[in-house]
Amino acid sequence: MNERYEKPEIYQIKVKGILAKKWSDWFDGFTITAQDENETIMVGTILDQGALHGVLAKIRDLGLPLISVERLEKQTTRKRIMKKFERFTVRHPIGFGFILIVLYS
């Protein structure tokens, strides 16, 4: 593939089983979130297709069944981040618009 067409993308990978957050470094800084359904969701930036195959090989080597691999659109990613902090969000009206204050816990 031509180098100019490859650019870093954000991926969400879902696997069966629970991975501890300490595996984040081994998976190139991915955010690792365990779900109640005995599943783990990993989200992170992948530089190119070779790097994606490398991450998938690590999942295979751990023996974790792969559920899904999804490339996230930048807008979708922003929506997911805002949803995560939704319960900490306070909106104040100002003039004709609103400002959004996100409180981090």
Side-chain angles (χ1 to χ4, degrees), residues 1-9:
M1 180 176 233
N2 191 331
E3 291 279 332
R4 65 187 177 127
Y5 293 113
E6 291 194 33
K7 60 182 181 185
E9 298 283 353

Side-chain angles (χ1 to χ4, degrees), residues 13 20 34 36-37 39 79 83 87 91 99 102 105:
I13 301 172
D36 293 336
E37 305 86 27
E39 296 174 352
K79 287 180 185 177
K83 187 173 183 177
R87 64 187 175 133
R91 291 180 174 92
I99 63 167
V102 179
S105 62

Side-chain angles (χ1 to χ4, degrees), residues 11-63:
Y11 280 83
Q12 174 181 288
I13 301 172
K14 187 184 289 190
V15 297
K16 190 75 173 168
I18 301 296
L19 257 181
K21 290 182 182 189
K22 68 180 180 179
W23 286 94
S24 178
D25 288 339
W26 199 60
F27 281 104
D28 303 322
F30 270 55
T31 300
I32 297 176
T33 307
Q35 302 293 297
D36 293 336
E37 305 86 27
N38 192 32
E39 296 174 352
T40 299
I41 295 177
M42 304 177 354
V43 177
T45 302
I46 295 182
L47 298 178
D48 56 24
Q49 289 295 301
L52 175 60
H53 286 275
V55 170
L56 295 175
K58 289 178 179 182
I59 291 169
R60 179 205 60 216
D61 293 347
L62 287 175

